Amino acid sequence: MIFSFINPSEEDVKNASEHVILNYYAAKASINPQLSVPSVPLGTETIYHETLDRYGPHVSLMAISDLQGVLQSFFVGLLNAKRVLEIGSFTGSSAIYFANALKRNGVSPGPDAGDNMPVVGLDISEEFASIARDNFDRAGVSGYVNIIVGDARENLAKLEGQQFEVIFIDADKPSYKFYYDTILEKNLLSKGGLIIIDNTALWKTVDYLNKPVDNVETEAISKMPLENVSVKQLGRALHDFNEYIRNDPRTEVVMFPVFTGMSFVRILDNV
């Protein structure tokens, strides 16, 4: 995966596939240099390369690309969002994009009257959260983001009573259905809000196209240690999740075949 599609070198363009070149062009066409709050927050590429140096190419793939960050920021602006929830924060790049977009919406740093921060991130790793907090300081958005460390399945339910205009799901894939259902059952998404779900076409999900499948034990897979879950099981769990939300009468979903699959979900008004 390419993290940065912005300002590719001549060598990058020369060696790129047609698909990657399209991404380079799309990134260039998506950056407005006249914005008072820049489309791409300062330092995000540095953060990615530091993550790459520290954890290697496989782990660093958990960071969103700059073009995806710009896309998600666009939706924050479109909805005039005031609060964002992300499930899975890693080393902080996505939260920085969200905070940057909220700045452009006129949201001030610091907690609101209910003592809630504009961006709330849930992550299982104190190590990643500590790095993310340092990165927030460097990016000038520490006053916007609160990372809650622990099991997101438990901490998500504790957010009942709060609402967010945008919710980004990018944590352990077998738990996607649990996160999705909890968001709806706890009324965490504001009216007219948007759920963005990352990686929904990842890990062999497309193997199930036009193929009948048996019932999948997604709940059982979600309780397994991640290191014990095979690529095939992850693909199966994601496919099962995609089928679940596709047939959910409460919501409408559109999956875009960009990056490793992004699904956009809204709650239907008649629910």
Side-chain angles (χ1 to χ4, degrees), residues 77-205:
L78 181 68
L79 296 172
N80 194 28
K82 304 303 179 186
R83 300 196 69 212
V84 175
L85 169 65
E86 63 170 19
I87 306 170
S89 294
F90 193 36
T91 55
S93 294
S94 57
I96 291 171
Y97 271 96
F98 283 133
N100 194 65
L102 291 177
K103 276 187 182 181
R104 195 180 300 132
N105 284 357
V107 177
S108 300
D112 60 17
D115 203 33
N116 302 310
M117 296 291 277
V119 180
V120 175
L122 307 180
D123 205 279
I124 191 67
S125 169
E126 178 55 49
E127 179 180 352
F128 290 155
S130 178
I131 295 170
R133 293 182 187 111
D134 289 341
N135 290 335
F136 300 153
D137 286 337
R138 293 159 57 190
V141 298
S142 58
Y144 284 84
V145 189
N146 177 34
I147 302 294
I148 301 172
V149 176
D151 187 339
R153 293 166 64 98
E154 297 177 3
N155 287 328
L156 184 62
K158 294 177 182 177
L159 295 177
E160 185 172 10
Q162 299 187 42
Q163 285 198 317
F164 306 85
E165 288 80 17
V166 174
I167 299 178
F168 180 46
I169 303 177
D170 188 21
D172 58 310
K173 315 312 170 190
S175 293
Y176 272 17
K177 180 178 180 293
F178 180 90
Y179 299 143
Y180 169 85
D181 280 335
T182 302
I183 289 165
L184 298 187
E185 291 163 8
K186 301 296 184 182
N187 195 30
L188 297 178
L189 188 68
S190 298
K191 182 178 174 60
L194 180 69
I195 304 173
I196 303 172
I197 310 169
D198 203 13
N199 308 130
T200 46
L202 185 65
W203 286 319
K204 293 185 175 293
T205 53

Side-chain angles (χ1 to χ4, degrees), residues 30-41:
S30 301
I31 304 301
N32 182 349
Q34 307 303 320
L35 296 177
S36 57
V37 178
S39 300
V40 180

Side-chain angles (χ1 to χ4, degrees), residues 224-269:
M224 294 171 62
L226 198 56
E227 61 269 20
N228 293 340
V229 179
S230 70
V231 169
K232 185 176 181 179
Q233 286 173 315
L234 285 169
R236 186 62 181 273
L238 280 168
H239 172 72
D240 187 63
F241 171 69
N242 290 333
E243 288 296 290
Y244 178 72
I245 60 174
R246 181 172 76 90
N247 290 286
D248 188 350
R250 300 173 295 179
T251 61
E252 181 180 28
V253 59
V254 175
M255 181 191 290
F256 277 67
V258 293
F259 312 116
T260 52
M262 294 183 72
S263 294
F264 301 89
V265 181
R266 71 183 186 97
I267 298 175
L268 296 175
D269 291 338

